[in-house]
Amino acid sequence: MRVSEIMTEAAVLDQADDTLVEAARKMWKQQTGSLLVMDGDDLVGILTERDILKAVAAGARLDEVRISEVMTKDIITVGPQTTLREAAKIMADRWIRHLPVVDGGKLVGIVSQRDLAGILAGALNEPEALEQLVEASELVRERRLRRVEHGVWD
């Protein structure tokens, strides 16, 4: 199965000069955990719930801080033909929950952990798939516990 089969084509977009308050309102209204930041047709960043939480934890005034100040600019993307297995591995390895999908330099959608969870729910009915998922989840759980124990948060 390919990313193009489950991605959300209507990604929620924002501008880099909006404030974090404006971004949080948009995220809440659209019920999304990320905003893709565009400059014309170019994807220049991604802002996630965790970016906003990090700003709050640092004491930032959300009505003054601009998206451009906290967004991730070194964006990891995949193409529409990327397999779900590859996308899930990238997300698990990089600790990201939202993965923009780019085709020929053009943004075509986004795939999230929520999208992958829907596929996972269907796979749970297949014993072989379930066994593989349990093994993979044990590895992810171990890595998460190590991060918590060592206070590794970026």
Side-chain angles (χ1 to χ4, degrees), residues 18-24 51-67 70:
D18 281 349
T19 66
L20 293 185
V21 166
E22 293 165 323
D51 295 325
I52 294 173
L53 285 173
K54 187 175 181 180
V56 168
R61 291 192 46 126
L62 302 185
D63 58 339
E64 295 176 1
V65 176
R66 302 285 169 198
I67 290 173
V70 297

Side-chain angles (χ1 to χ4, degrees), residues 62-134:
L62 302 185
D63 58 339
E64 295 176 1
V65 176
R66 302 285 169 198
I67 290 173
S68 60
E69 297 175 56
V70 297
M71 70 183 187
T72 299
K73 296 173 186 164
D74 186 20
I75 311 160
I76 299 165
T77 65
V78 294
Q81 294 305 312
T82 303
T83 66
L84 294 187
R85 181 183 200 111
E86 291 172 283
K89 181 167 179 15
I90 290 167
M91 293 169 85
D93 289 348
R94 301 291 189 116
W95 290 89
I96 57 177
R97 294 183 279 179
H98 306 90
L99 199 52
V101 182
V102 175
D103 190 14
K106 181 182 176 197
L107 177 68
V108 294
I110 190 164
V111 64
S112 69
Q113 282 184 341
R114 190 174 295 127
D115 298 323
L116 293 173
I119 298 301
L120 172 64
L124 291 176
N125 292 326
E126 300 176 24
E128 294 168 4
L130 180 57
E131 187 175 312
Q132 291 176 354
L133 291 170
V134 168

Side-chain angles (χ1 to χ4, degrees), residues 11-28:
V12 181
L13 309 176
D14 211 332
Q15 302 300 313
D17 61 345
D18 281 349
T19 66
L20 293 185
V21 166
E22 293 165 323
R25 284 186 184 135
K26 185 177 278 189
M27 291 167 81
W28 178 253

